[in-house]
Amino acid sequence: MDVRRLELLLALSRLGSMHAVSEVLGVTTSTVSQQLAGLAKDVGTPLLEPDGRRVRLTPAGRRLAGHAVTILAAHEAARADLDPSAEPAGTVRIAAFHTGIRDTLLPVVPRLPAAVRLEIQEQEPPDALAMLERDQVDLALTYDYNLAPARLGTALEATVLWESSWSLAVPSRSRRTPGTAAEVLAAFAGSDWIVNSRHTADEQVVRTIAALAGFEPRITQRADSLQLVQEMIGAGLGVALLPAAYPKTTGISLRRLRDPEPRMRAQAVVRRDRVSWPPLSLVVGML
């Protein structure tokens, strides 16, 4: 159904005559008549009937006029919601990894206007991106590494938010090994390794550098929480990559990795067809 035709029908139900509708809306009476005839054809039932020298709505016309109130209100709300020049208002659905929520999203929440709400769920990057592609969320906060870059679909657009250098975390009693990243990892070729259990990016980084060193890492432990990984290292269960700036506890040492230096990149990923939606554009800009 044509929205403009519904506007004319609703106006007729309120004003009582086509002449009044034509004067209020600035169209000719014949235009009103033609458009309402077209609407009746669209819905497949008469909407008007003679009433002396005038017309009135049929029972079907009155019911449709009642629906028109809701339809036109929803249409206007949708138009305003999608208008790039409109004031941001709406709920932004977000899937994000733990650190992205804690360090990037939560500081933004107090600064958001009251009309913009966030619905946040913790998800690892592969799941967050899948949800974004299925239109189950509006924004995905993800991460990848320079040594294991993520491949995004053509419908998605990513903005890098920040980067962090990663090092090799080992028990503090381990001997120091200078040199390149490959040489540092080679010193721990016989160790067990700890990697993420839900995202393979850090495992790809470990395997890439290990391949340069000529060995295949023995991965025996998997955990998502960086704090848990640190505790597992302290318990002697293996070695792992950790952020160079991550707060360290007693019993853990970091070995700097360079040539190549693994760097994690946090990204805000959106669908290209949603980039200009005001609430989403506001949130991404504040990140």
Side-chain angles (χ1 to χ4, degrees):
M1 287 179 286
D2 189 306
V3 173
R4 178 59 174 167
R5 289 174 174 175
L6 286 176
E7 292 176 339
L8 293 172
L9 180 70
L10 183 58
L12 180 60
S13 73
R14 291 171 172 173
L15 298 175
S17 74
M18 290 191 184
H19 178 70
V21 172
S22 68
E23 287 191 337
V24 170
L25 298 183
V27 296
T28 65
T29 303
S30 63
T31 297
V32 177
S33 178
Q34 291 170 7
Q35 292 298 311
L36 292 180
L39 181 60
K41 185 177 181 180
D42 289 342
V43 299
T45 188
L47 301 175
L48 305 177
E49 60 187 8
D51 183 21
R53 299 177 63 182
R54 305 170 65 179
V55 295
R56 65 186 177 192
L57 299 184
T58 63
R62 291 194 296 273
R63 291 199 304 275
L64 183 56
H67 288 302
V69 175
T70 302
I71 294 171
L72 293 173
H75 177 266
E76 177 58 25
R79 185 199 62 77
D81 185 37
L82 298 176
D83 181 0
S85 64
E87 287 295 320
T91 299
V92 180
R93 303 164 300 166
I94 303 172
F97 64 103
H98 177 88
T99 304
I101 295 174
R102 184 192 65 200
D103 296 344
T104 304
L105 271 180
L106 294 186
V108 164
V109 173
R111 298 187 284 122
L112 289 172
V116 175
R117 295 182 60 254
L118 303 184
E119 290 183 356
I120 302 171
Q121 54 180 298
E122 182 184 357
Q123 296 286 351
E124 282 295 301
D127 295 326
L129 291 174
M131 295 178 71
L132 184 63
E133 290 180 330
R134 293 194 298 266
D135 200 24
Q136 294 175 321
V137 294
D138 306 300
L139 169 64
L141 292 191
T142 69
Y143 64 87
D144 68 359
Y145 295 85
N146 59 334
L147 301 181
R151 295 182 179 180
L152 299 181
T154 57
L156 304 181
E157 179 176 304
T159 301
V160 176
L161 300 176
W162 46 265
E163 294 188 9
S164 64
S165 177
W166 281 51
S167 298
L168 179 64
V170 300
S172 56
R173 62 181 179 274
S174 303
R175 65 185 179 86
R176 293 194 172 276
T177 306
T180 66
E183 291 169 333
V184 172
L185 261 66
F188 297 90
S191 300
D192 289 337
W193 287 79
I194 308 167
V195 298
N196 194 296
S197 64
R198 291 188 294 164
H199 188 21
T200 61
D202 70 321
E203 180 178 344
Q204 292 177 47
V205 173
V206 169
R207 291 187 180 280
T208 295
I209 300 176
L212 295 175
F215 76 96
E216 182 174 347
R218 185 173 64 247
I219 295 172
T220 58
Q221 320 292 341
R222 295 181 182 272
D224 296 325
S225 165
L226 292 180
Q227 180 178 349
L228 178 58
V229 169
Q230 186 169 257
E231 292 171 355
M232 292 171 75
I233 296 170
L237 292 176
V239 298
L241 297 181
L242 281 179
Y246 194 78
K248 292 168 284 296
T249 58
T250 303
I252 300 294
S253 294
L254 291 182
R255 300 289 188 265
R256 180 186 175 190
L257 301 177
R258 56 184 178 81
D259 301 325
E261 177 190 36
R263 296 186 63 81
M264 190 186 88
R265 305 175 296 200
Q267 303 177 85
V269 187
V270 299
R271 293 169 60 98
R272 291 186 185 278
D273 57 4
R274 295 286 181 86
V275 171
S276 61
W277 183 42
L280 178 59
S281 178
L282 173 69
V283 172
V284 172
M286 294 176 72
L287 296 179

